[in-house]
Amino acid sequence: MLKHPEITQRRIEQFLQRTLRPQLWAESVPMEAAVYRPQVESPRDYREMKIDPLAAQRAEYTPVTPGYRWGPIWSDAWFRLQGRIPERWGGQAVVARINTGTESIVWEGDNPVQGIDDHHGELLVAEEARGGEEITLFVQATGMNPYVSVSGRPRDPDPEPFTFQYAELALYDRELFAVYFDVNIAYQVMLEQPQDSPRYGQLLYVLNEVVNLYEPGDRETLREARRRLAEVYQRP
């Protein structure tokens, strides 16, 4: 057991929050966004409206920027997102990071490709980019009432309760993400152990080692960190 477990514990938490997490999406480029708003005669008609994805993708789009507000609830906003993968990203995995302000679906023609929400905000657009690829995505955002609860009457939302937050292309560093999740899971498991237990001591010691050995940009320290964490899990 290390001499000052509370100090070490805070050090590990700061390593997660201030060192690893900011690096997860450290390199990105914005995508140009435009919106198409299907029109109906009354707000209640939105629930019955049937939208042809192919027709929506051929519609006229208006450029928008992050901060664009839209509504009302139950209406749809179609976003066309366009960007170019930088040449320097060649050979690496690239994702689109999207936040339309509500749950969304990415369409390719008339095929739904992937849902987007607060917990699944990335779409893989290149497993191994060449560099220079032009990316165009069509995203259907559906404005469900954000104030619905399991009990009580939901309060009436604002006329435009949704805000387009961002759309960007970003490098997806698999090794860095793997280390982040390995460290985070080990840290959360450690917190569930009694401080006088062998498992708590093992995890505290190895996580402190990981903090010590990590060097930004050094791929070997990422691999060594994962190897040491895996060894601890093999111990009784």
Side-chain angles (χ1 to χ4, degrees), residues 86-121:
E87 298 285 351
R88 66 183 182 276
W89 291 2
Q92 302 180 79
V94 178
V95 301
R97 301 183 66 228
I98 303 166
N99 187 328
T100 65
T102 186
E103 294 183 6
S104 308
I105 300 174
V106 180
W107 290 85
E108 185 175 321
D110 58 358
N111 295 315
V113 176
Q114 180 182 308
I116 299 290
D117 59 28
D118 290 340
H119 303 289
H120 308 87

Side-chain angles (χ1 to χ4, degrees), residues 8-214:
T8 304
Q9 184 173 304
R10 288 196 298 271
R11 182 171 184 247
I12 296 164
E13 183 175 0
Q14 290 177 356
F15 174 68
L16 273 167
Q17 304 302 326
R18 300 182 183 179
T19 301
L20 289 183
R21 182 175 287 181
Q23 293 180 28
L24 295 179
W25 304 117
E27 195 164 356
S28 64
V29 294
M31 301 183 77
E32 294 182 354
V35 70
Y36 158 61
R37 300 304 316 282
Q39 299 300 312
V40 295
E41 293 183 2
S42 89
R44 298 297 298 179
D45 293 340
Y46 284 115
R47 294 192 185 193
E48 305 300 326
M49 184 170 56
K50 299 186 184 300
I51 299 175
D52 178 356
L54 291 175
Q57 293 168 41
R58 293 191 297 266
E60 184 174 346
Y61 283 74
T62 302
V64 294
T65 57
Y68 165 74
R69 293 180 62 83
W70 61 278
I73 59 170
W74 311 122
S75 66
D76 278 13
W78 282 77
F79 291 90
R80 184 184 64 208
L81 309 175
Q82 295 175 301
R84 184 175 183 273
I85 297 177
E87 298 285 351
R88 66 183 182 276
W89 291 2
Q92 302 180 79
V94 178
V95 301
R97 301 183 66 228
I98 303 166
N99 187 328
T100 65
T102 186
E103 294 183 6
S104 308
I105 300 174
V106 180
W107 290 85
E108 185 175 321
D110 58 358
N111 295 315
V113 176
Q114 180 182 308
I116 299 290
D117 59 28
D118 290 340
H119 303 289
H120 308 87
E122 298 84 39
L123 172 73
L124 184 67
V125 296
E127 186 75 41
E128 187 174 332
R130 298 187 307 275
E133 297 97 318
E134 299 288 343
I135 305 296
T136 298
L137 303 173
F138 288 94
V139 182
Q140 178 189 10
T142 300
M144 292 178 287
N145 191 341
Y147 304 119
V148 171
S149 62
V150 295
S151 62
R153 180 183 176 84
R155 68 182 177 90
D156 293 331
D158 298 331
E160 296 180 337
F162 311 108
T163 302
F164 171 64
Q165 301 288 345
Y166 57 79
E168 62 183 20
L169 297 173
L171 279 180
Y172 176 46
D173 188 331
R174 285 189 171 84
E175 280 191 318
L176 184 60
F177 266 86
V179 169
Y180 172 77
F181 285 119
D182 282 358
V183 172
N184 190 40
I185 290 172
Y187 179 66
Q188 298 302 324
V189 170
M190 184 192 77
L191 294 180
E192 296 299 319
Q193 312 303 311
Q195 286 200 5
D196 59 353
S197 69
R199 180 60 77 188
Y200 178 92
Q202 290 171 350
L203 289 170
L204 185 72
Y205 184 85
V206 73
L207 286 169
N208 189 60
E209 279 192 325
V210 167
V211 176
N212 289 335
L213 69 88
Y214 176 73

